[in-house]
Amino acid sequence: MIKLSPSILSADFANLERDITKAALAGADYIHVDVMDGHFVPNITIGVPVVKSLRRATSLPLDVHLMITDPDDYIEAFIRAGADILTVHAEANGDTLAQIRRIRALGARPSVSIKPGTPIETVLPLLPELSMLLVMTVEPGFGGQGFIENTIPKIRALRDAIDAGGYACELEADGGIGAKNIRAVCEYGINVVVAGSAVFGQPDIGAAIAQLRANTEGL
Ligand code: DX5
Ligand code: ZN
């Protein structure tokens, strides 16, 4: 079954507990937390203290997406704060393989993300050590953008590589996914879907999740 990871980037930041509780009750699988440093991407969001508070507010796994230039400086702090899945960008500073191993050694599930313009060859050698691979389907930085169609061949190729190797690596897509295209995205090979504006940007969070779920029925 497809997993849904609603992104709190589109939630009401003054009412995060209320919004994530609605998502949890509606059957969200993870809570996606977008951390931006104003340097790796041209936006600033939240950091370690908010993850720590979210940890107390939900029992769902926290899927923490680091869009920051220097993940080495923050990996340990985010895991101590309660990140269950920790994603670093392949384009960020540092040795990505060493970061993956450190995340696992600290007790979290390691994940790597690639931006739309980054070729999959960058991450293919990492697949055996990853719990998840996050394909950005928009340029990272902001919610509410349109899905970039030319990421589809990358998704298909990554799905083939994961299946061919028999790797226990989830394949997540992030950006521009909603009720209209979620089924197609999953048919390309995605099994974890991030949705921000399509969930927390909707008037009824529970109904929005139910709709996404209905649209992936049978997958
Ligand atoms: C963008 C973030 C996404 C964002 C997705 O850089 O990584 O997680 O919240 O938002 P939507 O689903 O609205 O495209
Ligand atoms: Zn994200």
Side-chain angles (χ1 to χ4, degrees):
M1 195 159 103
I2 303 302
K3 290 181 181 165
L4 295 177
S5 189
S7 164
I8 62 164
L9 191 56
S10 296
D12 178 351
F13 275 58
N15 288 286
L16 280 179
E17 182 167 27
R18 181 198 68 190
D19 280 6
I20 65 174
T21 300
K22 285 183 186 171
L25 288 172
D29 296 284
Y30 302 150
I31 296 295
H32 187 85
V33 182
D34 288 304
V35 176
M36 305 186 189
D37 65 354
H39 187 264
F40 184 77
V41 289
N43 195 7
I44 298 175
T45 55
I46 55 165
V48 171
V50 176
V51 171
K52 203 171 168 187
S53 294
L54 289 171
R55 179 68 294 153
R56 289 195 294 263
T58 182
S59 56
L60 285 180
L62 296 177
D63 169 21
V64 178
H65 178 190
L66 297 183
M67 286 161 275
I68 64 177
T69 300
D70 288 302
D72 285 314
D73 296 344
Y74 299 96
I75 283 172
E76 187 166 353
F78 277 102
I79 294 172
R80 290 202 190 288
D84 296 281
I85 304 166
L86 192 62
T87 298
V88 295
H89 263 268
E91 305 86 356
N93 288 344
D95 175 342
T96 308
L97 182 57
Q99 290 164 355
I100 292 168
R101 290 180 174 163
R102 188 150 162 248
I103 291 167
R104 199 176 287 288
L106 288 165
R109 290 184 246 168
S111 164
V112 169
S113 180
I114 49 172
K115 299 204 280 186
T118 301
I120 67 165
E121 287 69 26
T122 319
V123 290
L124 288 178
L126 308 174
L127 289 180
E129 306 216 23
L130 285 175
S131 291
M132 189 163 83
L133 196 132
L134 194 179
V135 182
M136 286 308 302
T137 45
V138 297
E139 288 299 337
F142 299 92
Q145 305 180 74
F147 183 88
I148 297 175
E149 300 282 332
N150 68 15
T151 58
I152 296 168
K154 285 197 337 189
I155 294 172
R156 291 191 196 277
L158 284 164
R159 168 51 59 203
D160 288 348
I162 290 168
D163 289 351
Y167 304 126
C169 177
E170 300 196 301
L171 190 58
E172 180 176 62
D174 183 3
I177 305 170
K180 286 203 179 84
N181 62 353
I182 188 170
R183 189 170 190 90
V185 169
C186 295
E187 284 171 348
Y188 307 141
I190 293 299
N191 78 298
V192 183
V193 174
V194 177
S197 47
V199 172
F200 291 118
Q202 302 302 308
D204 185 335
I205 292 168
I209 290 183
Q211 184 67 59
L212 294 174
R213 198 59 94 188
N215 293 5
T216 56
E217 182 116 34
L219 295 181

